[in-house]
Amino acid sequence: MSEHSGAQPRQTLIEYPCDFPIKAMGARVDGFAQAVIEVVLRHAPDFEPAGAEMRPSSKGNYLAVTCTFRATSQQQVDALYRELTSHPLVKVVL
């Protein structure tokens, strides 16, 4: 019997490392894109900020920032997702 607790490791269909796009959406305010990029860099220091793609909403009130980074593990992706979703400027993360 294993010495681990009863928790099973989470199954994933993603093979790491891989290029992983994450999109954060929020109000189109000064500093939004930079805030998203700073969070991504904390979890993926090799992310190149110039590669971030930005797309405003049709009325220009919201901005979507897509950052494709080299993901090394599910834990890294989960931690990044958690930090982005808890950021006050971010409304949605996909």
Side-chain angles (χ1 to χ4, degrees):
M1 215 170 180
S2 98
E3 295 177 20
H4 299 13
S5 66
Q8 292 289 325
R10 197 163 98 190
Q11 296 284 327
T12 180
L13 299 176
I14 300 170
E15 289 188 29
Y16 295 96
C18 66
D19 290 337
F20 193 94
I22 195 160
K23 181 185 290 188
M25 293 175 274
R28 192 172 180 185
V29 296
D30 288 343
F32 174 71
Q34 186 60 37
V36 170
I37 290 168
E38 287 171 2
V39 171
V40 171
L41 284 169
R42 275 198 286 280
H43 297 274
D46 57 344
F47 172 70
E48 181 54 51
E53 298 175 29
M54 290 171 239
R55 184 172 175 205
S57 64
S58 59
K59 293 184 181 178
N61 296 327
Y62 296 93
L63 183 65
V65 179
T66 302
C67 298
T68 301
F69 65 99
R70 191 72 176 162
T72 57
S73 70
Q74 185 66 47
Q75 293 80 11
Q76 176 196 30
V77 173
D78 290 346
L80 173 53
Y81 181 84
R82 277 193 302 274
E83 186 171 351
L84 280 173
T85 56
S86 68
H87 195 286
L89 293 176
V90 175
K91 303 292 183 208
V92 177
V93 179
L94 303 173

